[in-house]
Amino acid sequence: MDFNQVHERGLEVVTATRGCLSGFVLRFNKINTRVPGAGHANIVRQNAGLVEGVLLELPDAVAIERMDPFEGVPDRYRRTRVMVECSERACEAWTYIGQPAWLGEGLRPTRDYLQRLLNGQAFLSPSYWQWLASHPEIGRAHV
């Protein structure tokens, strides 16, 4: 949810809006190869789950392919289409889901990684942002 990172990756954003993905939950269970015990964001199916985030409109249909190398497609993540609620309507969108060989349990995000998600506060409900902000990080006990 960090627009600076999106721009650093060479992607132009046409519009950004709040999006909610039902039937999934956010987990930090995608193994971070640089920091032992750290995890990157991943979405996991859960019937009553809800993931909040930012839905980015890109300038054309192939722009998402420029993001794939940064997300480790196809080895670490796979890109898949999902239906997201945005502006009181359903929108089809791309998302990234961790590949099974790269998933682990008991992982925590680094402070810097979590901060990039928290930077999207304007697109999140207060309760979801607070849940993220209180998430245990590497080097910080869960309180």
Side-chain angles (χ1 to χ4, degrees):
M1 288 185 244
D2 189 326
F3 290 102
N4 290 330
Q5 182 182 36
V6 172
H7 292 296
E8 287 169 6
R9 292 178 173 184
L11 284 173
E12 176 188 344
V13 175
V14 176
T15 62
T17 188
R18 181 177 195 271
C20 294
L21 176 62
S22 297
F24 288 86
V25 291
L26 179 68
R27 297 285 182 254
F28 294 97
N29 67 345
K30 200 311 228 129
I31 297 167
N32 177 328
T33 60
R34 290 177 282 209
V35 180
H40 291 293
N42 185 35
I43 58 172
V44 177
R45 283 198 181 277
Q46 184 177 47
N47 288 338
L50 181 71
V51 177
E52 294 185 23
V54 182
L55 186 65
L56 304 177
E57 179 186 356
L58 303 176
D60 56 59
V62 296
I64 189 67
E65 294 173 9
R66 290 195 298 275
M67 185 63 82
D68 289 351
F70 296 103
E71 300 298 335
V73 170
D75 298 325
R76 297 178 185 177
Y77 282 98
R78 65 182 161 86
R79 183 165 39 97
T80 189
R81 288 186 179 271
V82 293
M83 292 304 292
V84 177
E85 290 295 322
C86 57
S87 303
E88 300 178 16
R89 64 182 176 88
C91 309
E92 191 173 48
W94 288 111
T95 192
Y96 293 94
I97 298 178
Q99 295 284 27
W102 287 92
L103 302 181
E105 296 302 319
L107 304 175
R108 296 180 177 190
T110 63
R111 180 175 300 272
D112 290 343
Y113 186 86
L114 187 57
Q115 186 59 54
R116 289 198 309 255
L117 299 183
L118 293 170
N119 287 345
Q121 183 173 9
F123 297 91
L124 305 174
S125 67
S127 62
Y128 198 85
W129 187 88
Q130 185 57 47
W131 173 78
L132 274 176
S134 65
H135 199 283
E137 306 164 1
I138 287 288
R140 184 179 93 174
H142 190 307
V143 288

